[in-house]
Amino acid sequence: MRQKIYCYFDESGQDISSREFIAVAVMLSSAERSAYQLRLQGIEKEAATYGLKWHKTKLDRALQYLDLILEQNIATGQIYVGYFKKPTPYFFPIVDTIEAAIKEFTQ
């Protein structure tokens, strides 16, 4: 039986000065997606981040947002992280992380 899943992905470390490339995938079923969206929107409102790009968010607001995410155990067990030493071509770590996340999530 097929199930629809959502994969939200982000990475950090493409800049020249970084020594590592970090890839993160968050996996959600279609049933979980709406509930998480509402919870995250509530946290954004409480932390006053207003959906800004992360680098444009003031540090105190960003830290409050992260604190609230951790306090509420958002997506516990559904976050997959890959750490890669540089130099590395970015495409392969991205594919590896997403592949591992999908395989583990669907088991």
Side-chain angles (χ1 to χ4, degrees):
M1 183 173 144
R2 288 181 162 216
Q3 74 175 34
K4 189 169 187 173
I5 59 174
Y6 292 85
C7 177
Y8 296 92
F9 180 85
D10 201 3
E11 51 72 26
S12 181
Q14 285 194 35
D15 54 287
I16 297 169
S17 62
S18 65
R19 293 179 293 189
E20 293 179 330
F21 181 78
I22 301 170
V24 179
V26 177
M27 304 297 299
L28 297 173
S29 69
S30 57
E32 298 168 312
R33 184 173 179 252
S34 295
Y36 277 108
Q37 279 183 317
L38 291 174
R39 289 176 71 189
L40 291 170
Q41 288 170 349
I43 289 172
E44 281 185 358
K45 186 175 181 179
E46 188 174 341
T49 57
Y50 307 111
L52 293 171
K53 294 271 187 188
W54 196 245
H55 70 278
K56 292 184 177 183
T57 302
K58 292 183 179 180
L59 181 59
D60 61 329
R61 292 178 181 176
L63 291 174
Q64 183 182 10
Y65 179 86
L66 291 173
D67 284 341
L68 291 166
I69 294 287
L70 292 171
E71 284 173 13
Q72 295 185 27
N73 294 318
I74 300 290
T76 301
Q78 297 168 298
I79 300 172
Y80 304 87
V81 181
Y83 294 95
F84 305 89
K85 291 285 184 192
K86 287 177 62 179
T88 184
Y90 304 116
F91 178 75
F92 297 113
I94 290 169
V95 171
D96 288 348
T97 302
I98 292 173
E99 178 186 25
I102 290 171
K103 283 180 178 176
E104 189 172 327
F105 185 77
T106 56
Q107 288 182 353

